[in-house]
């Protein structure tokens, strides 16, 4: 189940990173990524938890701009 949420978050994040989108659309999609990452829960693997936390921090940083 976690992989499903992470896969969807990855797809949305890649779209944001590779598309020329208006600022508001970027914010909406990053909020979506943040929600998907929250729904993923906490993975068992330590390195995966670190990557997930880093992704959550990046979403927060982008949204704080």
């Amino acid at each position: 189940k976690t992989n499903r949420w992470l896969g969807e978050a990855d797809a949305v994040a890649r779209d944001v990173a590779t598309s020329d989108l208006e600022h508001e659309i970027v914010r909406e999609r990053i909020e979506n990524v943040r929600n998907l990452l929250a729904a993923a829960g906490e993975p068992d693997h330590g390195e995966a938890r670190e990557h997930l936390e880093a992704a959550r921090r990046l979403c927060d940083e982008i949204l704080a701009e």
Side-chain angles (χ1 to χ4, degrees), residues 8-48:
E8 193 168 339
D10 181 57
V12 174
R14 284 181 193 274
D15 181 52
V16 170
T18 60
S19 300
D20 184 26
L21 303 170
E22 294 180 19
H23 182 71
E24 245 347 274
I25 302 297
V26 169
R27 288 188 60 78
E28 288 174 15
R29 293 196 181 166
I30 295 299
E31 286 173 358
N32 188 22
V33 170
R34 184 172 59 179
N35 292 335
L36 290 165
L37 294 175
E42 295 298 324
D44 294 331
H45 190 269
E47 189 175 343

Side-chain angles (χ1 to χ4, degrees), residues 38-60:
E42 295 298 324
D44 294 331
H45 190 269
E47 189 175 343
R49 276 194 307 275
E50 291 174 15
H51 286 287
L52 184 56
E53 185 55 38
R56 289 173 176 157
R57 279 192 309 271
L58 283 172
C59 286
D60 290 341

